[in-house]
Amino acid sequence: MVRQSQLFIPTLREAPADAEAISHKLLVRGGYIRQVAAGVWTFLPLGWRVHQKVVQIIREEMDAIGGQEMLMPVLTPYELWQQSGRDAIPEIFRLQDRAGREYVLPMTHEETITFHAKEIASYRQLPQLLYHFSIKERDEPRSRGGLLRLREFIMKDAYSFDRDEAGLDVAFRNNDRAYRRMFGRAGIEYSAVQAESGMMGGKESIDFLAPSGSGENTLVTCENGDYAADLEVALGIPRTPDFPPAHDAPKEVATPGATTIEALAEQLGIDAAATSKAMPVVTTGGKLVLGLVRGDDRLSEPKMLGTLGSDYRPATEEEIRGAFGAGGGSLGPIGIEIEVVADEALRDGHFVAGANRDGWHLLGVEAGRDYAPRFSDIREARDGDRCPTCGGGLHFQTAIEVGHIFKFGSRYSEPLGASFLDEDGIEKPLIGGSYGVGPARVMAAAVEQHHDENGIVWPTTLAPYDVHVLSLDGGSNEVRTRAEELAATLAAAGLDVLFDDRDERPGEKFADADLIGCPVRVIVGKKTLDDGAADVRRRDGSSEERVAIADVLKWVRQD
RNA sequence: CGGGGCGUAGCUCAGCCUGGUAGAGCGCCCGCUUUGGGAGCGGGAGGCCGACAGUUCAAGUCUGUCCGCCCCGACCA
């Protein structure tokens, strides 16, 4: 039992003016966290308790699948990152010591764990699953939203090593299961979706997205529950366009001043979905490519990146002039020398396209007949699309990425030289996977998903304390004593008890208790003692009643 | 890195346009009263007005540069 009068729980009546996300506001107001610099936060005692509860859940689930906890340092020799090639990532923090030796403050620990994995010499020592909780540093160009995106944060990162892909499959599935269990225990609603592995350089990967009022990802789900994906890779079946009459060959039409799809569709009196939109881009290799999507669609940058196999940028005015002989707004796929990547939605039907002549468009352009594109899914799924699995409606929700697991194979073991001798006597690279989860993001997601207008409603597994006992003594020693006895009794029974013994008025204690959000609130006051009782209430509003002091423990423990 | 916004008391903010002794509410400290949903009265503490450089008799206020923070975008295991 701890006395609130002696704790550092600086609750605030008002949220900081610049806070937008609910979790940001409530965690700051509740005295859980404080900002030190952009994207850099302190966990105050209450916040650290919650963080540690999340950590313990993760630890138990990792241990349950054979994970071995360890700890790798933050300060890491730069050479390791040179060997993996990740030294080129702009987000890494670098520094030098006084002798000029260079270090990296890691964003993850693949390099370091692989450095240790070099001690694995034989297939007899495999598989291995190692993990740690440690501070990650990322020079994010833009942090935001309280705990949603930090520049420094603690992550549980686990690494598996196996002798082959089959072994990796097993490790991957085990971690997937462990993740589902840990998020379930943390009271988080989430979807496991296929995702891009991004800068980790992986193959298969699964993202765990928790729907939230604020977040960095968009979760796309089918109303029938048979499809879930991150917007970046989500497939959607677009509606069928309302096509105008077809033509035997493209027919030129004057469209003066129509440089946007809206203007074009209006001028021609047609459905915007029956037009095509041309997006000329230049790859890092300097190659000009025309991306073509339906007029009502947006080009998906991650998909385009995947299709091109390289980063790219929009083409400049001069580059466009040179290649198309026309300016933006009148570009199309016909009569040009450059490669055309057309979205799948343009495969069937006849569309209006730019004529590559300023102020003119072409009616009835058909892929295959009039131009020969490379088809690829490069459109961003959007509201109104149908599910690719069952045709049901798709929902789009903002979400927090609370975990990400992926296979990296020999991505690190080869460059770092981590190999083992297999049963057949052949030296082979270790086959690895990484499994990351951010406890702070789990906290933020829990708050985003569980709160009301008065404050946080913690899942019981994450709450900083199980029971919040309020002494409404108004200066009465007898009431204070009885309240403290009850708090001590509950604590002796194994519950984490926060005892509000502060010399504050009732209203303030109620407000703070709601804000902090412990699952059970127990009030001892003059009124209740007259009945030899206490008022008990669950924070989620499911029950509230007056029970005899002797029965409080039983009440707390039921359901 | 582009666009926008904001830096004044612990917090939320006025004051800046039109230069002239730095303010309010909440919080904090003391006293009295009060005590079941953020009390009342009285007294009090608390400021390098983000930094630097200009303009001026005089700068929180005008000008410039820089720094910090937030939001949108770019970016992002």
Side-chain angles (χ1 to χ4, degrees), chain A residues 209-223:
Chain A
L209 300 182
S212 153
S214 300
E216 305 247 78
N217 298 66
T218 300
L219 171 64
V220 181
T221 51
C222 173
E223 60 185 349

Side-chain angles (χ1 to χ4, degrees), chain A residues 171-181 192 206 208 405:
Chain A
F172 190 78
R173 283 201 308 276
N174 284 343
N175 277 278
D176 181 17
R177 259 202 326 277
Y179 272 48
R180 289 167 196 267
R181 277 197 297 258
I206 295 178
F208 293 86
I405 64 176

Side-chain angles (χ1 to χ4, degrees), chain A residues 363-380:
Chain A
L363 302 176
V365 173
E366 295 184 21
R369 185 191 71 180
D370 303 321
Y371 65 104
R374 168 177 160 207
F375 285 109
S376 182
D377 171 39
I378 55 170
R379 70 185 283 275
E380 186 173 286

Side-chain angles (χ1 to χ4, degrees), chain A residues 261-411:
Chain A
I261 294 295
E262 296 73 36
L264 177 67
E266 182 166 344
Q267 209 173 92
L268 297 177
I270 60 167
D271 182 0
T275 69
S276 61
K277 188 156 54 179
M279 323 275 285
V281 301
V282 177
T283 66
T284 15
K287 186 178 157 199
L288 186 63
V289 176
L290 179 64
L292 201 64
V293 296
R294 224 166 73 172
D296 59 334
D297 279 337
R298 281 186 56 178
L299 179 70
S300 162
E301 296 184 20
K303 288 180 179 179
M304 187 65 172
L305 199 147
T307 297
L308 295 177
S310 104
D311 205 351
Y312 66 90
R313 59 169 173 81
T316 63
E317 259 321 300
E318 299 78 61
E319 288 166 334
I320 292 173
R321 264 299 148 195
F324 294 86
S330 301
L331 306 181
I334 296 183
I336 53 172
E337 300 296 314
I338 66 175
E339 182 186 5
V340 177
V341 175
D343 184 67
E344 295 287 352
L346 297 171
R347 196 182 276 273
D348 301 310
H350 46 280
F351 296 83
V352 174
N356 294 325
R357 176 181 168 199
D358 287 332
W360 291 78
H361 278 78
L362 296 172
L363 302 176
V365 173
E366 295 184 21
R369 185 191 71 180
D370 303 321
Y371 65 104
R374 168 177 160 207
F375 285 109
S376 182
D377 171 39
I378 55 170
R379 70 185 283 275
E380 186 173 286
R382 66 195 198 94
D383 210 24
D385 283 359
R386 312 303 296 180
C387 171
T389 305
C390 72
L394 291 180
H395 292 303
F396 294 72
Q397 297 169 275
T398 302
I400 299 172
E401 181 190 16
V402 288
H404 191 180
I405 64 176
F406 51 90
K407 300 177 176 180
F408 59 69
S410 57
R411 163 68 181 83

Side-chain angles (χ1 to χ4, degrees), chain A residues 527-550:
Chain A
K527 289 184 182 180
T528 66
L529 283 185
D530 287 345
D531 296 342
D535 286 339
V536 292
R537 175 158 88 162
R538 295 196 193 279
R539 181 65 182 83
D540 63 11
S542 61
S543 53
E544 173 172 19
E545 58 190 302
R546 180 163 295 183
V547 302
I549 291 228

Side-chain angles (χ1 to χ4, degrees), chain A residues 27-48:
Chain A
L27 288 170
V28 170
R29 283 190 57 211
Y32 286 89
I33 58 174
R34 285 294 186 270
Q35 181 168 21
V36 177
V40 179
W41 290 72
T42 289
F43 285 78
L44 299 177
L46 218 46
W48 188 241

